[in-house]
């Protein structure tokens, strides 16, 4: 995800590519079609935008615009949308509130019919320009509250709300005490109450809230606070209690995005002096590439719990996405197919393509896209999510997150160096969010 080649990712991609050949190619029926020729239909391109931060000191998501561009190459190689080119323009959001607003204005200036599969924590900055222009925001990453409040937003997952609530429920089954390490940001301020909602659903008390800078190079102080918060008394090291009660019932979960790797580096160093406790996170903070880079099956992340929006990366339902990546972006090292940003972008563009194909080719606009979605256009994602639909009656009654239509999560664990599913199917955390969260 940093633009450098990841030596460990190619064997993983090769293995999944072999798996993909056995998967139905229903989503890829046009891969062998004559390449799209601009101007064939006499109409201009259908313009959409994808933005994400790149090259910053905090969270970077270069795989999202890269996946968007690969998706467009596949669509256009298959004849476009009603014979029209799908043109993806991208914008570096830079993790900056001013730049987020500038990206939104660029989308409006380009007459984009949608912003799709994008990442920004600055919803207050980018959503207002989109609302003024009437441009729908389809399948953002779900890191800002505005994505779940604005009437022009059409999220494909339950965002950080469902991930943290799901993580709390997952940990409540095994943890008596939990510490949460999260960014000291406005977006991060929402996370403790969400994790606590999941813990409360499992009849556990609230987690110790440990704030951390988003761009730190060392998290030793935060590690010590987290361990103290779960009662990891260093004097118990080597006693009968170590490895039984503490090991089985004390958990530290981190949600620091791309800085989670730095946190776990600090965590490993401190653990030499303190008893080991269970570790956990949410997908996006812990990912397969991180497990690979920290030792695979020998990684300190072995046994770590993770909560995700979607099926595990080795699930056959991802086959169509892998086939597109391998044909249209195989050498683009920005794309990590196991990254939830890449996966969200795939699903968001699946939704966009579905709605565009339902419209008359001469009537495609931001307004017609919004109208189709509001009237109940259904999106089949091939089982990667439930069928998605954004009518008023489909919106879940989650306080503070009225635009959520999909609050399903999956439980995963690092086992033998791979992130794999703990159980089949999805876990619906709608009731947890409805019962235990609220405004403010």
């Amino acid at each position: 995800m940093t633009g450098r080649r990841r030596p460990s990712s190619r064997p993983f991609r090769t293995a999944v590519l072999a798996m993909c050949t056995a998967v139905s190619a229903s989503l890829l029926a046009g891969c062998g079609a004559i390449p799209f020729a601009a101007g064939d239909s006499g109409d201009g391109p259908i313009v959409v935008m994808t933005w994400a931060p790149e090259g910053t000191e905090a969270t970077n998501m270069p795989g999202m615009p890269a996946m968007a561009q690969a998706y467009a190459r596949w669509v256009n190689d298959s004849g476009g949308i009603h014979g029209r080119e799908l043109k993806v323009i991208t914008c570096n959001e830079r993790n900056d509130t001013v730049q987020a607003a500038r990206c939104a204005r660029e989308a409006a200036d380009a007459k984009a019919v949608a912003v799709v599969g994008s990442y920004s924590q600055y919803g207050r900055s980018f959503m207002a320009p989109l609302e003024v222009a009437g441009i729908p925001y389809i399948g953002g990453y779900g890191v800002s509250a505005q994505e779940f409040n604005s009437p022009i937003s059409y999220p494909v997952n339950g965002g950080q709300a469902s991930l943290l609530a799901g993580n709390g429920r997952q940990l409540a089954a095994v943890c008596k005490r939990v510490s949460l390490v999260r960014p000291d940001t406005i977006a991060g301020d929402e996370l403790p109450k969400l994790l606590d909602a999941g813990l409360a659903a499992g009849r556990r008390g609230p987690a110790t809230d440990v704030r951390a800078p988003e761009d730190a190079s060392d998290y030793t102080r935060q590690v010590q606070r987290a361990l103290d918060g779960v009662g990891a008394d260093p004097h118990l090291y080597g006693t009968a209690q170590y490895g039984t009660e503490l090991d089985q019932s004390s958990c530290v979960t981190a949600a620091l995005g791309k800085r989670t790797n730095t946190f776990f580096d600090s965590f490993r160093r401190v653990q030499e002096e303190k008893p080991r406790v269970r570790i956990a996170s949410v997908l996006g903070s812990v990912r397969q590439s991180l497990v690979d880079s920290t030792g695979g099956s020998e990684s300190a992340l072995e046994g770590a719990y993770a909560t995700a929006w979607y099926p595990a990366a080795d699930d056959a339902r991802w086959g169509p996405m892998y086939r597109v990546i391998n044909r249209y972006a195989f050498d683009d090292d920005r794309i990590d197919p196991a990254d939830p940003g890449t996966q969200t972008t795939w699903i968001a563009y699946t939704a966009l393509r579905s709605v565009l194909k339902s419209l008359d080719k001469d009537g495609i606009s931001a307004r017609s896209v919004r109208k189709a979605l509001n009237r109940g256009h259904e999106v089949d994602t091939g089982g990667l999510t439930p069928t998605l639909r954004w009518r008023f009656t489909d919106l879940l009654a989650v306080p503070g997150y009225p635009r959520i239509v999909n609050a399903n999560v999956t439980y995963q664990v690092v086992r033998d160096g791979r992130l794999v599913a703990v159980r089949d199917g999805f876990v619906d955390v709608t009731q947890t969010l409805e019962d235990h969260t609220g405004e403010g």
Side-chain angles (χ1 to χ4, degrees), residues 48-50 68 71 86 88 116 345-353:
V48 297
M49 175 178 272
T50 296
Y71 195 100
L86 178 64
V88 173
V116 190
T345 303
W346 170 264
I347 292 171
Y349 271 89
T350 298
L352 172 76
R353 180 170 179 259

Side-chain angles (χ1 to χ4, degrees), residues 129-151:
L130 294 185
E131 289 176 344
V132 170
I135 299 174
Y137 188 77
I138 302 174
Y141 192 83
V143 72
S144 71
Q146 287 71 25
E147 294 175 60
F148 301 100
N149 286 276
S150 173

Side-chain angles (χ1 to χ4, degrees), residues 30 33-38 40-41 45-46 71-87 353 356-357 361 364:
I34 298 173
F36 175 84
D40 279 355
S41 67
I46 301 169
Y71 195 100
R73 286 193 289 270
W74 165 54
V75 167
N76 293 330
D77 195 29
S78 306
I81 303 292
H82 300 309
R84 297 178 62 182
E85 177 190 3
L86 178 64
K87 181 179 179 180
R353 180 170 179 259
L356 291 179
K357 288 174 71 69
K361 75 169 187 176
I364 294 175

Side-chain angles (χ1 to χ4, degrees), residues 266-436:
S266 299
F267 193 85
R268 285 191 293 271
R269 290 195 298 271
V270 174
Q271 285 285 276
E272 295 177 1
E273 302 175 358
K274 290 197 174 187
R276 183 173 65 87
V277 300
R278 289 181 183 268
I279 55 177
S281 191
V282 294
L283 261 288
S285 291
V286 165
R287 62 194 72 203
Q288 187 59 52
S289 58
L290 176 58
V291 178
D292 292 342
S293 67
T294 55
S297 60
E298 301 299 319
S299 169
L301 295 172
E302 182 70 17
Y305 294 117
T307 307
W309 292 306
Y310 315 122
D314 62 353
D315 192 288
R317 286 169 285 187
W318 290 113
M321 181 187 75
Y322 278 101
R323 292 180 64 178
V324 166
I325 291 172
N326 278 280
R327 179 163 182 175
Y328 295 97
F330 185 74
D331 292 324
D332 191 336
D333 287 326
R334 294 176 298 168
I335 299 179
D336 178 356
D339 179 77
T342 297
Q343 294 171 348
T344 297
T345 303
W346 170 264
I347 292 171
Y349 271 89
T350 298
L352 172 76
R353 180 170 179 259
S354 176
V355 71
L356 291 179
K357 288 174 71 69
S358 75
L359 301 173
D360 182 85
K361 75 169 187 176
D362 297 320
I364 294 175
S365 65
R367 182 177 182 275
S368 65
V369 171
R370 291 197 329 271
K371 188 174 180 180
L373 292 171
N374 291 338
R375 286 186 171 181
H377 178 81
E378 292 186 352
V379 175
D380 181 356
T381 64
L384 296 172
T385 69
T387 298
L388 299 174
R389 191 172 56 187
W390 293 271
R391 297 176 307 178
F392 179 77
T393 53
D394 298 310
L395 305 178
L396 305 180
V398 178
Y401 302 88
R403 296 295 293 177
I404 290 182
V405 297
N406 170 25
N408 285 2
V409 298
T410 61
Y411 292 164
Q412 299 178 24
V413 66
V414 180
R415 183 178 297 142
D416 297 325
R418 309 302 307 171
L419 267 166
V420 298
V422 171
R423 50 178 287 177
D424 292 333
F426 293 96
V427 177
D428 188 350
V429 298
T430 300
Q431 196 68 48
T432 299
L433 290 170
E434 290 178 349
D435 290 348
H436 297 283

Side-chain angles (χ1 to χ4, degrees), residues 174-214:
V174 293
C175 308
K176 292 181 180 178
R177 297 171 295 275
V178 177
S179 286
L180 167 65
V181 184
R182 51 84 171 185
D184 188 10
T185 62
I186 293 174
D189 289 344
E190 295 293 312
L191 304 187
K193 73 173 183 180
L194 296 167
L195 183 77
D196 291 347
L199 291 171
R203 299 186 179 181
R204 301 291 191 187
T208 299
D209 179 22
V210 180
R211 301 184 182 193
E214 208 178 16

Side-chain angles (χ1 to χ4, degrees), residues 56-115:
T56 76
E57 294 300 318
T59 296
N60 294 300
M61 287 286 180
M64 298 182 78
M67 183 71 248
Q69 292 167 328
Y71 195 100
R73 286 193 289 270
W74 165 54
V75 167
N76 293 330
D77 195 29
S78 306
I81 303 292
H82 300 309
R84 297 178 62 182
E85 177 190 3
L86 178 64
K87 181 179 179 180
V88 173
I89 57 176
T90 63
C91 187
N92 185 354
E93 183 266 1
R94 298 178 185 170
N95 273 315
D96 179 78
T97 181
V98 174
Q99 181 62 20
R102 185 175 293 124
C103 288
R105 290 194 294 271
E106 287 182 15
D109 292 342
K111 297 185 176 6
V113 303
V115 172

